Amino acid sequence: MKLIITDIKNPNFNISGEHQIISPQRDIKPCIGCFACWTKTPGECIIRDGYNKTGITMGKCDELIIISECRYGSVSSFVKNVQDRAISYIHPCFVIKKGEMHHKRRYFNTLKLTAYFYGNDITEEEKENARNLMQSNVDNYNGELGKVYFYNSKEDLEGIAL
Amino acid sequence: MKIAIINASPKTRNSNSELILSDLKHYLNDQCEIIDTKLSYNCAFNRVYNEVKDADSWLFAYPLYVDNMPSHLLKFLEWLSDNKLSTKRNIYAICNCGFYEGVQAECAINVVKFWCNKTGNVFSGGVGVGGGEAFDALKSVPVGYGPKTSIDKALGTIAQAIATKSTTSSKFVNLDYPRFLYKIGATGRWHKLIRKNGGKVKDLGRQLT
Ligand SMILES: Cc1cc2nc3c(=O)[nH]c(=O)nc-3n(C[C@H](O)[C@H](O)[C@H](O)COP(=O)(O)O)c2cc1C
């Protein structure tokens, strides 16, 4: 399955195959840093606003597609909020991988992450940071990085084939 | 010289950011006037902005979340820039990681730098602190000593830059404490927490469908 996380409210993409879209259809609450998703209700966030099960969905996917405005070399705050609320995809305990500390797996799927960033004034440095960020994310998700694209505007993404 | 210190940990209390900031304040001493404020998950942006708007410099202290800053801080930065609310200030950043390596905070420090570039603020230095989860256990260790030596040295350097309204290069620092022991300590804490919540150690890896 493909999981698409986007800050575009009413996305119009041309998506093939089984998929789920997370977009700002309703308000999302920020993570409060309580770690309950690891130690109280392992696997699920305790804030019940409809964005509490993303970690579970990620465990069922083989593709993760992020479509976001690029803000200061980052994903936008909505996409980041969904990510923060989904750390239960991984296990709290640490492992050392490629000489750095990361997390153990909870699920055994491999996510391939593809990212589409948009914005009219994304600098080269910001693009590099956004790419590095996506690489760090897949290192922590134990996934693989696919392509990272940059578009000049949200409109350029209309009808894109995913 | 007025510096606003914004603790942007989402937690309303007992954050590791707070403990790191207390070491930073030791170095700031009384070299400048400090406005101390919080940007927890539930704070109104307007109120926080009104508290800090008279300061010449701002320092954001925040945890590393998914290799980046927490979303509520990113939203605050978006809000400030969309409303053209900050420019020409010196901006400092301290990001603490749960992971051992401070360098994992590099992207998250850069986001503050690029925000400065977009808004006409002056990015004036950052510190990526590794092993942030150890600070609670190090409360009784004097500033600048033991496992905190290298981290506190970097905090001292950024404090000097803050006090003189100058710019310093960003630094990424680790605990002076072996990584494998930090890792064992963390595992022990997760085991304790799940048991406290009535679960078993194996529940930490529970798979939901
Ligand atoms: C949603 C979430 C995501 C996190 N992601 C990371 C991460 O990517 N890398 C890391 O080193 N630590 C990560 N952490 C751990 C925090 O950075 C660490 O616990 C930090 O010390 C918390 O600081 P605070 O008490 O000031 O909020 C994450 C924690 C949470 C709650």
Side-chain angles (χ1 to χ4, degrees), chain B residues 36-185:
Chain B
D36 225 334
T37 190
K38 272 188 163 148
L39 177 69
S40 316
Y41 77 92
N42 54 356
C43 289
F45 291 169
N46 242 322
R47 185 188 60 70
V48 175
Y49 173 69
N50 282 326
E51 276 177 35
V52 298
K53 67 171 193 263
D54 294 333
D56 323 283
S57 309
W58 288 352
L59 172 122
F60 292 103
Y62 51 97
L64 187 65
Y65 270 26
V66 197
D67 311 300
N68 196 344
M69 59 174 61
S71 69
H72 76 297
L73 172 58
L74 184 56
K75 199 168 172 183
F76 183 63
L77 295 184
E78 290 172 350
W79 178 81
L80 289 167
S81 95
D82 293 347
N83 293 292
K84 304 201 169 27
L85 286 178
S86 181
T87 190
K88 294 189 179 149
R89 285 192 177 86
N90 287 67
I91 306 286
Y92 303 87
I94 298 177
C95 177
N96 97 84
C97 318
F99 292 150
Y100 183 81
E101 302 87 9
V103 71
Q104 296 211 38
E106 196 170 357
C107 286
I109 296 278
N110 281 341
V111 173
V112 175
K113 178 164 97 187
F114 300 140
W115 175 79
C116 288
N117 295 348
K118 283 269 189 304
T119 52
N121 287 289
V122 184
F123 181 71
S124 305
V127 184
V129 175
E133 285 290 347
F135 272 75
D136 191 50
L138 298 174
K139 268 189 202 155
S140 56
V141 176
V143 180
Y145 285 90
K148 300 197 292 189
T149 308
S150 302
I151 292 172
D152 283 346
K153 192 167 168 231
L155 295 176
T157 307
I158 204 167
Q160 209 43 49
I162 292 169
T164 52
K165 230 172 164 282
S166 55
T167 295
T168 180
S169 58
S170 292
K171 299 201 171 49
F172 301 94
V173 276
N174 301 346
L175 292 167
D176 296 291
Y177 184 76
R179 182 168 69 181
F180 81 97
L181 290 178
Y182 179 74
K183 182 168 169 261
I184 293 171

Side-chain angles (χ1 to χ4, degrees), chain A residues 28-36 38-44 56 60 71-78 80-84 87 90-96 99-103 105-108 121-123 125-126 129 132-133 136-138 140-141, chain B residues 10-12 41-42 65-72 74-75 77-79 81-82 98-101 103-104 106-108 110-115 117-119 133 179 182-183 186-187 189-191 193-195 197 199 201-209:
Chain A
I28 182 166
K29 295 215 158 69
C31 169
I32 61 173
C34 69
F35 287 135
W38 277 343
T39 64
K40 214 170 192 169
T41 55
E44 183 178 348
I56 305 173
K60 297 179 197 161
R71 301 233 44 182
Y72 331 120
S74 164
V75 294
S76 67
S77 60
F78 174 79
K80 185 65 198 2
N81 202 341
V82 175
Q83 287 188 295
D84 289 354
I87 57 161
I90 48 183
H91 188 290
C93 290
F94 294 142
V95 291
I96 307 297
E100 274 193 345
M101 193 170 268
H102 293 287
H103 286 282
R105 284 174 168 278
R106 179 184 305 278
Y107 301 102
F108 288 87
D121 56 354
I122 315 173
T123 65
E125 282 184 309
E126 288 171 339
N129 201 62
N132 290 341
L133 195 56
S136 300
N137 284 173
V138 296
N140 279 316
Y141 293 153
Chain B
K11 297 176 190 165
T12 50
Y41 77 92
N42 54 356
Y65 270 26
V66 197
D67 311 300
N68 196 344
M69 59 174 61
S71 69
H72 76 297
L74 184 56
K75 199 168 172 183
L77 295 184
E78 290 172 350
W79 178 81
S81 95
D82 293 347
F99 292 150
Y100 183 81
E101 302 87 9
V103 71
Q104 296 211 38
E106 196 170 357
C107 286
N110 281 341
V111 173
V112 175
K113 178 164 97 187
F114 300 140
W115 175 79
N117 295 348
K118 283 269 189 304
T119 52
E133 285 290 347
R179 182 168 69 181
Y182 179 74
K183 182 168 169 261
T187 307
R189 272 201 314 280
W190 296 127
H191 289 187
L193 272 171
I194 190 105
R195 287 201 193 100
N197 291 329
V201 166
K202 71 170 184 355
D203 297 332
L204 287 172
R206 180 172 80 167
Q207 295 182 336
L208 298 178
T209 50

